[in-house]
Amino acid sequence: MTPMGNKQKKVSLGEKLVQLNWSLVLLVTAVASIGFAMLYSAAHGNAEPWMAAQMKRFGLGLIGMLVLGLIDLRLYMRFAYTFYALAFVLLVYVEFLGEIGMGAQRWINLGFIQLQPSEMMKVALVLSLARYFHGTDWEAVGKPWVLIPPTLMAVAPAGLVMKQPDLGTAVTLMIVGGAMFFAAGVRWWKFAIIIAIGVVGAYFAWNSDLLHDYQKARILTFLDPESDVRGAGYHIIQSKIALGSGGVWGKGFLQGTQSHLDFLPERQTDFIFTMFAEEWGLVGGVVLLTLYSMLVLYGVVIALRCRSQFGKMMAFGLSFNLFTYFFINTAMVMGLIPVVGVPLPLISYGGTAMMTVLAGFGLMMSTYVHRDAKIGRSGREEN
């Protein structure tokens, strides 16, 4: 066989377009369309101020998602650390010069959009950990000092996000980072040590200034919502009333009384699932959760079919990130976990969150298109 015969077959742009996972595109569009309808309802039957802006963002994000799906997987691996460094610098910038809103300092005002670097970090962390573990031997993963750099990669941005304060995103970063460690083959007993350290850290955080008073109030309210009905417990009590009033089939589109009479707070962002369940009932809620589960399953299947460790870990990490997103949001509004302010992906109003989720799907599609590519530990093509 000639040297040229050993080279992997190059895939043309036309072939890549055909190989794009169009079923995934349709599924993403279906979930986002549910979001458009609920934003229309949240504005009492008006496209402004939320639905029209969200549709424009989705249109731009969808194009970006398809473009990302066509780019070679090896390029993402090559620039994974660069993207992580950029997201980290933006987090540091937010710490000192970020825009303040609703008591938090989380955004950078770019004029046409409020950029939220913590959302970018969710993808950047997955990319950088996937690259790190791709270049690490399976046996080396068992050595404690090998795990120090990726641990710092996850802990450092989570600490900055916690200070904004954004407890929900900080917890999400730690959970997704832990899932990547698990996928890389880290043993269970090491997780037990980390969890024990986390419990001790939570104890000191509770007794220090790291947690704000309102965050402590949310946790106490989660344990006993009726202890402060008109204060910290108001949101979750109203959410439960709205969920229960929807019944099995719901009150109908635009007919949600709790949301339309303004009893339900933040109905266009964190509590949009509550409004959806009030109008479409238990059946609608189950259908929506099934659609999310299908999106996660798509990502897992893509991870299993990819030949490179980088692609496997990236698709798995992004899928788990999506799962964490919708699980925390839906569990939060049902009162199963404390209210931590995590949006419902593709449905809650928000520019950076929407773009980040679509970028994640673009990376998944690139993994699918380049699933047969062999990538060496250095990131170069393997013969």
Side-chain angles (χ1 to χ4, degrees):
M1 185 178 290
T2 65
M4 288 297 291
N6 287 329
K7 291 284 186 186
Q8 295 177 54
K9 182 188 175 185
K10 301 293 183 186
V11 182
S12 68
L13 180 60
E15 289 173 321
K16 287 183 179 182
L17 279 170
V18 172
Q19 289 186 30
L20 282 178
N21 197 321
W22 293 102
S23 299
L24 183 60
V25 175
L26 286 175
L27 198 52
V28 167
T29 305
V31 175
S33 299
I34 292 173
F36 302 149
M38 296 322 299
L39 291 174
Y40 181 80
S41 178
H44 305 290
N46 290 298
E48 301 290 347
W50 300 308
M51 188 190 83
Q54 190 83 338
M55 291 181 75
K56 290 174 187 172
R57 291 166 178 167
F58 179 76
L60 291 173
L62 190 65
I63 295 170
M65 181 180 84
L66 297 175
V67 171
L68 289 174
L70 298 173
I71 294 174
D72 197 309
L73 191 63
R74 285 159 286 215
L75 199 64
Y76 295 125
M77 182 170 167
R78 192 179 307 164
F79 290 102
Y81 291 153
T82 304
F83 183 46
Y84 176 89
L86 174 63
F88 191 83
V89 168
L90 291 175
L91 278 178
V92 174
Y93 179 89
V94 166
E95 174 67 20
F96 296 100
L97 300 170
E99 290 281 316
I100 299 176
M102 295 183 292
Q105 190 166 334
R106 302 176 186 170
W107 299 273
I108 298 174
N109 189 358
L110 297 180
F112 63 95
I113 191 173
Q114 293 271 15
L115 184 67
Q116 191 173 349
S118 58
E119 292 293 329
M120 291 174 57
M121 180 52 77
K122 290 178 181 175
V123 174
L125 180 63
V126 169
L127 277 172
S128 59
L129 290 179
R131 174 169 178 171
Y132 183 84
F133 286 118
H134 176 89
T136 306
D137 290 326
W138 180 264
E139 295 80 8
V141 171
K143 299 173 181 174
W145 58 85
V146 175
L147 300 179
I148 293 175
T151 302
L152 292 175
M153 283 183 200
V155 171
L160 285 172
V161 173
M162 179 79 84
K163 286 196 69 180
Q164 290 181 353
D166 187 350
L167 181 61
T169 303
V171 170
T172 302
L173 287 171
M174 293 303 296
I175 292 176
V176 172
M180 296 287 284
F181 276 56
F182 175 74
V186 175
R187 301 287 180 86
W188 278 105
W189 64 268
K190 292 177 182 172
F191 281 99
I193 292 175
I194 292 173
I195 291 172
I197 293 172
V199 171
V200 174
Y203 172 79
F204 283 106
W206 185 269
N207 292 288
S208 69
D209 294 332
L210 193 58
L211 281 179
H212 292 251
D213 289 340
Y214 81 89
Q215 290 173 323
K216 293 179 181 178
R218 283 179 175 179
I219 295 171
L220 293 173
T221 302
F222 162 68
L223 298 173
D224 184 13
E226 281 73 25
S227 63
D228 190 5
V229 175
R230 295 184 181 275
Y234 180 81
H235 288 195
I236 193 59
I237 289 173
Q238 292 301 323
S239 179
K240 287 180 178 179
I241 292 172
L243 284 169
S245 66
V248 176
W249 299 104
K251 297 173 180 173
F253 186 50
L254 296 173
Q255 302 302 316
T257 52
Q258 290 298 115
S259 50
H260 287 280
L261 293 176
D262 294 333
F263 287 106
L264 185 66
E266 305 296 336
R267 61 181 181 276
Q268 80 280 12
T269 53
D270 294 351
F271 287 88
I272 198 167
F273 180 79
T274 304
M275 186 176 66
F276 177 78
E278 185 187 18
E279 296 190 357
W280 297 96
L282 175 66
V283 173
V286 170
V287 169
L288 181 57
L289 292 180
T290 301
L291 292 175
Y292 277 123
S293 300
M294 289 172 67
L295 286 173
V296 172
L297 188 61
Y298 256 113
V300 173
V301 170
I302 288 172
L304 293 175
R305 293 189 64 181
C306 187
R307 298 182 67 172
S308 70
Q309 177 75 347
F310 175 72
K312 283 179 184 293
M313 293 210 61
M314 187 173 75
F316 171 78
L318 293 169
S319 304
F320 194 81
N321 186 35
L322 179 71
F323 168 78
T324 307
Y325 244 116
F326 82 78
F327 173 79
I328 291 180
N329 179 275
T330 53
M332 174 185 83
V333 300
M334 293 179 195
L336 301 177
I337 62 172
V339 175
V340 289
V342 172
L344 191 61
L346 296 173
I347 290 185
S348 290
Y349 181 74
T352 311
M354 167 74 81
M355 294 298 178
T356 303
V357 171
L358 291 175
F361 283 120
L363 295 174
M364 276 190 209
M365 286 202 290
S366 172
T367 306
Y368 179 76
V369 171
H370 304 92
R371 59 190 178 277
D372 293 326
K374 299 177 184 176
I375 308 176
R377 295 195 183 282
S378 65
R380 296 184 182 281
E381 179 180 304
E382 256 185 1
N383 291 328

